[in-house]
Amino acid sequence: GGATETVIPGKTGELIPSQSVSAFAQALKDFDAQKYSTQILQKHAEKFSESNFSQQLWQVVGEGLKHAGWSHT
């Protein structure tokens, strides 16, 4: 995971094209907080909540166990 998997450019943030001071400074100059919807930001952030993470993790573990022939009964 990382920024490229969690940031939706123009909707939930911006990706800086290179790791340089000048690119970061330009991104700060170009930043316009008013173009972001708090509702979209909140909905997107909820995808990364502890409960969603736990649910998705257990789903993957369960599928892996099933595929390996394990049974919980």
Side-chain angles (χ1 to χ4, degrees), residues 1 3 5 7 12 18 25-27 32 34 40 44 60-61 67 72:
E5 293 181 12
V7 175
T12 64
S18 66
Q26 188 62 49
D32 178 8
Q34 293 190 13
I40 290 173
H44 186 67
V60 169
V61 169
H67 184 71
H72 67 281

Side-chain angles (χ1 to χ4, degrees), residues 51-67:
S51 63
N52 278 345
F53 175 80
S54 179
Q55 180 182 7
Q56 291 172 7
L57 176 63
W58 283 114
Q59 181 178 358
V60 169
V61 169
E63 289 172 8
L65 291 173
K66 184 190 290 186
H67 184 71

Side-chain angles (χ1 to χ4, degrees), residues 8-41:
I8 302 169
K11 294 197 180 279
T12 64
E14 299 299 332
L15 296 171
I16 299 171
S18 66
Q19 294 184 358
S20 69
V21 172
S22 61
F24 183 67
Q26 188 62 49
L28 289 174
K29 287 178 188 176
D30 296 341
F31 184 76
D32 178 8
Q34 293 190 13
K35 79 177 194 177
Y36 298 98
S37 161
T38 55
Q39 293 168 339
I40 290 173
L41 291 169

